[in-house]
Amino acid sequence: MPSKRVRSRRLTAAAAVLAAAVITPLFAASTAGAAAQAVTLPPVHEGFDYQIGGAYAPPAGVGVVSRDHEASPAAGLYNICYVNAFQAQEGAESEWDSDLLLRDSSGEIVYDGGWGEALLDIRTAAKRDRIAAKVKTWIDGCAGKKFNAVEPDNLDSYDRSEGLISEANAKAFIKSLSSYAHGKGLAMAQKNTANFSTARAETGLDFAVAEECGEWDECGDYTEGFGDNVIVIEYQESAFKKTCSEFGSRLSVVLRDVNVTTPGNSQYVRKTC
């Protein structure tokens, strides 16, 4: 089922027009590890906008926004910083050491076919450390810009790895990133991967950003592990209506166009419950 999921990506990071701002903490979450700081979780059932395809002035009623790590946070809101942690951006294979790209038995790079992104090889601790070194520079940037949390995408890439990457590999890598983000005072989101929601001790994750959980009847799986600390993005009108009916009184739910375009684009869609 996850292999059929439509998973959004940033297209081209737009230059941000809003200045960064520190917001008043809304919820303190305890985190493991001596280096971890108290982190702030997004407010529950708050207006949300998904802007990873380009930053723009948030619509009225929005209190939480997710933007690409190359953008700046929205002033006065809770800001989530998107990073592509488990795959290379499309066409960006050269930005990674060749041996860090996952390869099959024939030596061919394994791609996420839906988005043309090369999977990163997180099967050994040594390679995880080298990949994390780059991802941590993005997390540093998120912290420096005063984002409140990180959204590391493609946690579920093991499911598209032709059986080469295991769930244990994914959990080990995300746990290391979570610990690092916590040390920077940033909360860490679980992006998709509903079956990990009750494994928080293994992942160190604080809340969920779930694409199409209504489409796939998974929203309850996320609330089982995270309570109401779940943000939902739907891309189909019918699934959006269903999610609003079942979870709209508890969770942050938004309908967006699949390419998460900006206002003025003919594809742009945004609705809330």
Side-chain angles (χ1 to χ4, degrees):
M1 182 165 60
S3 61
K4 298 179 182 178
R5 184 190 310 282
V6 176
R7 294 167 301 102
S8 58
R9 293 284 178 275
R10 68 177 172 92
L11 303 179
T12 301
V17 297
L18 299 173
V22 180
I23 70 170
T24 302
L26 299 164
F27 186 92
S30 60
T31 56
Q37 302 177 28
V39 300
T40 303
L41 301 189
V44 170
H45 194 221
E46 181 65 87
F48 174 71
D49 198 14
Y50 208 37
Q51 297 188 2
I52 66 171
Y56 52 89
V62 169
V64 180
V65 65
S66 185
R67 289 179 170 177
D68 187 82
H69 69 94
E70 294 182 358
S72 294
L77 305 185
Y78 185 99
N79 287 270
I80 303 171
C81 192
Y82 172 96
V83 299
N84 193 353
F86 288 76
Q87 298 180 180
Q89 287 295 119
E90 183 178 7
E93 294 91 338
S94 63
E95 296 178 9
W96 296 88
D97 290 342
S98 179
D99 68 314
L100 296 181
L101 303 176
L102 184 67
R103 296 178 185 273
D104 62 21
S105 59
S106 299
E108 298 296 321
I109 296 173
V110 178
Y111 285 90
D112 175 344
W115 295 95
E117 297 180 354
L119 273 64
L120 299 175
D121 189 350
I122 58 170
R123 291 177 293 178
T124 68
K127 288 187 176 183
R128 287 194 293 270
D129 286 347
R130 290 167 59 202
I131 294 167
K134 180 187 289 286
V135 178
K136 287 175 180 178
T137 66
W138 301 334
I139 294 175
D140 289 342
C142 298
K145 292 179 180 181
K146 306 301 183 184
F147 278 88
N148 305 97
V150 180
E151 176 192 341
D153 204 2
N154 291 308
L155 174 60
D156 59 353
S157 64
Y158 69 87
D159 195 54
R160 300 181 294 280
S161 70
E162 301 178 8
L164 297 172
I165 296 174
S166 68
E167 290 190 14
N169 297 151
K171 288 176 178 176
F173 188 53
I174 200 65
K175 184 63 177 290
S176 70
L177 296 181
S178 297
S179 297
Y180 188 80
H182 291 159
K184 296 290 180 177
L186 298 167
M188 198 72 156
Q190 176 177 302
K191 180 66 174 291
N192 299 329
T193 327
N195 55 305
F196 280 15
S197 297
T198 55
R200 296 176 62 185
E202 298 174 74
T203 63
L205 298 167
D206 303 303
F207 67 100
V209 175
E211 291 177 300
E212 297 187 300
C213 68
E215 180 78 14
W216 298 104
D217 292 319
E218 293 176 340
C219 296
D221 296 330
Y222 290 101
T223 59
E224 182 181 1
F226 293 98
D228 290 349
N229 290 115
V230 179
I231 295 169
V232 180
I233 306 104
E234 297 288 351
Y235 300 110
Q236 301 296 327
E237 181 84 30
S238 58
F240 169 70
K241 290 179 178 178
K242 173 186 173 184
T243 304
C244 286
S245 174
E246 296 179 358
F247 293 93
S249 64
R250 299 171 50 192
L251 309 182
S252 300
V253 182
V254 68
L255 174 69
R256 290 290 276 118
D257 55 286
V258 70
N259 288 321
V260 285
T261 60
T262 58
N265 188 297
S266 61
Q267 298 179 32
Y268 176 78
V269 172
R270 182 183 183 273
K271 293 182 181 180
T272 58
C273 298

